[in-house]
């Protein structure tokens, strides 16, 4: 069963009927990456809440909130197909008709995860992660999930949410889910639809570069300096917004003692910013 709810009042009434639930927050315009989160949630919970809400608070003044694709009918058909693989399951889709359903006029709080929110992606998009943390906080309050599922493609977002939940002692487990890629390596994203066929082909530079850095490091901390040198060479191409290695847990630039690192990148393809990352587990020589 798939139930579509358009108001917070309906959501609260429905939520009072369920005990433990999984939750998948999205902005809609769904693709297989979102559906992999839903299917994982359905494999763990018989009831899953799924939000479709284009959050105005996470768009900057020069970012096109109005142009973000709204494709509810298509989204619901993908959700129904996924739900039908799990007999007796229930998916409650919360797609509020009006942003005031999520952010009532009387509420003017902002959740800000200091430090992490203004680093790297947050430096380029000021206020973006405050908007994300604020909406996710509000959606958690409404859906009261036991586990919430986030794609690791937005790795910094995943860390921001984990930190918010830890700092505010929220009783929800945050489950990071693997990046889903096309067979040629391009990470799935709602933004890929804006690419021309030529741009799509050229976008492979992103996953290929991450893979080549991954192979250079090849799990050995001794190879980090070699990878760092390669990064400096790659950055001669000014289409990289950034290409950096960070500690996967602390997000620190200092990876001298890291056991796991994440290589994070954004490549500018025309007007589209393509975001991707790759995890590397490191072995360190015995001392
Ligand atoms: O990753 C997204 O789609 C959004 O940032 C999220 C988590 C749904 C918040 O609006």
């Amino acid at each position: 069963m798939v139930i579509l709810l358009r108001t917070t009042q309906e959501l609260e009434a429905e939520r009072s009927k369920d005990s433990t639930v999984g939750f998948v927050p999205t902005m809609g315009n769904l693709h297989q990456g979102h559906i992999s989160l839903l299917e994982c949630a359905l494999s763990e919970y018989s009831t899953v809440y799924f939000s479709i809400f284009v959050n105005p608070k996470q768009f900057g003044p020069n970012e096109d909130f109005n142009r973000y694709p709204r494709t509810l009918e298509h989204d619901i058909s993908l959700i129904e197909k996924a739900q039908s693989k799990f007999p007796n399951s229930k998916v409650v889709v919360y797609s509020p008709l009006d942003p005031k359903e999520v952010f009532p006029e009387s509420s003017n709080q902002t959740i800000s995860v200091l430090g992490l929110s203004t680093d790297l992606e947050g430096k380029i998009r000021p206020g973006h992660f405050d908007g994300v943390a604020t909406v996710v906080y509000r959606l958690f309050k409404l859906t009261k999930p036991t586990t919430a599922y986030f794609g690791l493609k937005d790795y910094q977002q995943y860390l921001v949410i984990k930190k918010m939940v830890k700092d505010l002692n929220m009783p929800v487990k945050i489950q990071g889910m693997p990046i889903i890629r096309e067979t040629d390596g391009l990470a799935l994203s709602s933004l890929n639809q804006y690419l021309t066929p030529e741009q799509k082909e050229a976008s492979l530079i992103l996953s290929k570069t991450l893979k080549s850095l991954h192979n250079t490091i090849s799990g050995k901390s001794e190879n980090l300096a070699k990878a760092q040198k390669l990064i400096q060479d790659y950055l001669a191409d000014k289409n990289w917004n950034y290409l950096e290695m960070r500690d996967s847990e602390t997000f620190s630039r200092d990876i001298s003692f890291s056991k796991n690192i994440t290589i994070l990148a954004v490549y500018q393809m025309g007007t589209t910013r393509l975001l991707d990352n790759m995890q590397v587990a490191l072995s360190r020589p015995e001392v």
Side-chain angles (χ1 to χ4, degrees), residues 84-180:
S84 69
K85 297 183 195 165
F86 297 84
N88 305 320
S89 66
K90 175 170 93 172
V91 179
V92 179
V93 180
Y94 172 56
S95 176
L97 278 168
D98 188 325
K100 289 197 193 94
E101 295 289 338
V102 179
F103 301 117
E105 262 158 3
S106 55
S107 108
N108 59 1
Q109 311 287 332
T110 295
I111 306 285
S112 201
V113 178
L114 295 183
L116 204 46
S117 279
T118 47
D119 196 1
L120 205 64
E121 183 71 5
K123 206 181 265 175
I124 298 178
R125 302 181 69 189
H128 169 69
F129 287 123
D130 289 355
V132 170
T134 304
V135 77
V136 171
Y137 176 86
R138 179 81 182 127
L139 292 170
F140 280 178
K141 285 286 170 197
L142 294 173
T143 57
K144 302 182 187 73
T146 311
T147 306
Y149 301 80
F150 290 84
L152 290 176
K153 187 169 94 64
D154 296 300
Y155 191 71
Q156 193 174 350
Q157 165 174 286
Y158 162 75
L159 290 184
V160 166
I161 302 301
K162 280 222 311 189
K163 183 91 172 63
M164 172 186 80
V165 162
K166 185 164 180 266
D167 289 356
L168 299 179
N169 232 336
M170 299 183 87
V172 48
K173 177 180 167 207
I174 303 302
Q175 177 75 53
M177 295 289 297
I179 299 174
I180 307 290

Side-chain angles (χ1 to χ4, degrees), residues 154-267:
D154 296 300
Y155 191 71
Q156 193 174 350
Q157 165 174 286
Y158 162 75
L159 290 184
V160 166
I161 302 301
K162 280 222 311 189
K163 183 91 172 63
M164 172 186 80
V165 162
K166 185 164 180 266
D167 289 356
L168 299 179
N169 232 336
M170 299 183 87
V172 48
K173 177 180 167 207
I174 303 302
Q175 177 75 53
M177 295 289 297
I179 299 174
I180 307 290
R181 299 179 181 279
E182 293 190 4
T183 42
D184 58 12
L186 182 64
L188 294 195
S189 162
S190 303
L191 298 178
N192 293 354
Q193 64 193 288
Y194 295 123
L195 302 172
T196 63
E198 295 74 30
Q199 285 179 326
K200 209 165 169 212
E201 179 74 35
S203 303
L204 294 183
I205 186 171
L206 186 53
S207 56
K208 280 188 176 155
T209 302
L210 291 172
K211 189 90 196 113
S212 117
L213 288 166
H214 186 281
N215 292 345
T216 300
I217 301 167
S218 157
K220 298 195 179 100
S221 57
E222 310 89 280
N223 293 332
L224 287 175
K226 225 189 287 176
Q228 196 55 60
K229 168 81 183 63
L230 266 182
I231 288 177
Q232 289 319 313
D233 296 345
Y234 289 135
L235 287 174
D237 175 350
K238 292 300 168 207
N239 287 313
W240 292 104
N241 284 189
Y242 56 78
L243 176 59
E244 284 196 25
M245 298 190 283
R246 296 289 185 104
D247 184 280
S248 300
E249 239 172 86
T250 63
F251 213 59
S252 170
R253 266 198 189 89
D254 180 359
I255 53 174
S256 337
F257 301 102
S258 300
K259 293 218 169 75
N260 290 289
I261 60 158
T262 305
I263 315 167
L264 299 108
V266 168
Y267 194 85

